[in-house]
Amino acid sequence: MTAAPQPITSRDNAFVKDLRRLAQDGTAYRRHGRVWLEGDHLCGALLARGRRPAVAVFAETFWPQAPQALREAAPRTVLLADKVMESVSGLESAASVGFVLDLDAAAAPLPGAPAVVLDRLQDAGNVGSILRSASAFGFAQVLALRGTAALWSPKVLRAGMGAHFGLRLVEGLEAASLDGLGLPLVATSSHGGEWLHRAALPWPCAWLLGHEGRGVQPALEAKAAMRIRIAQPGGEESLNVAAAAAICLHASAAQAPAAG
């Protein structure tokens, strides 16, 4: 049973200040141990995975018309005056609902589970898009090496569109952390290796996706059991890393024993 909603009208309220940090600071979640999920899509995606937020937050004027599933989602419900809700948002147009989710950060990679490894990817949109592909194509975990964009930042959350809630996410890793995975590493490359459409891909495996400009770091690429490149008959020099990831992860999943 949820408690009666708590109204807040001041922008200087301590809870509101914390929300503002979570919404507008890409790494604040690491200090607070929780994230801000803004908008009904992310909130609905969380509930669809059978998870509950710690706090549900509504704009005061939206509360009377909010869907029951959102109204009953959390043990604590807060109603913010509309202007206060707008002051919290990191979006151009503030959403009317958001959840505060307590994070149980995975401490280490899960041996044997199909994985996607992000090696110093910088663009939040790319990272979020890759998380979506990883979830869609049956990869259980995404492992971010040190130097990769913060996985739970607001921009990555928005680009991930709810994929976060179906994945084991581990960040801040060193390359040596991959040694205990017990999986063949498959490195993407724009200049060498087997053609993807001709390759017999291992399953399960861990795909290595590198920095947007520099690719997979040489020391990590040296650990790979395979190097893979994508045919580009149109003649472009390289593909965007998120586009390449979608192609590679789909090909990998399609060859998996349970495919189809």
Side-chain angles (χ1 to χ4, degrees), residues 28-69:
Y29 70 89
R30 292 174 177 164
R31 299 188 296 274
H32 290 261
R34 46 179 35 187
V35 294
W36 168 241
L37 311 178
E38 184 170 358
D40 57 356
H41 181 89
L42 280 178
C43 294
L46 181 76
L47 298 181
R49 290 284 182 176
R51 300 180 63 181
R52 296 190 73 196
V55 189
V57 181
F58 297 86
E60 187 176 31
T61 57
F62 177 67
W63 171 250
Q65 62 196 31
Q68 184 175 2

Side-chain angles (χ1 to χ4, degrees), residues 141-156:
Q141 56 185 339
V142 173
L143 313 176
L145 299 189
R146 192 178 301 278
T148 297
L151 296 188
W152 290 96
S153 70
K155 289 183 179 180
V156 175

Side-chain angles (χ1 to χ4, degrees), residues 7-21 24 78-89 94:
I8 296 178
T9 58
S10 173
R11 297 186 184 194
D12 296 325
N13 177 276
F15 176 76
V16 172
K17 289 181 177 179
D18 284 345
L19 282 188
R20 194 174 295 120
R21 294 185 190 99
Q24 301 177 18
V78 172
L79 304 185
L80 297 185
D82 287 25
K83 289 295 185 182
V84 177
M85 191 74 162
E86 291 173 8
S87 77
V88 165
S89 179

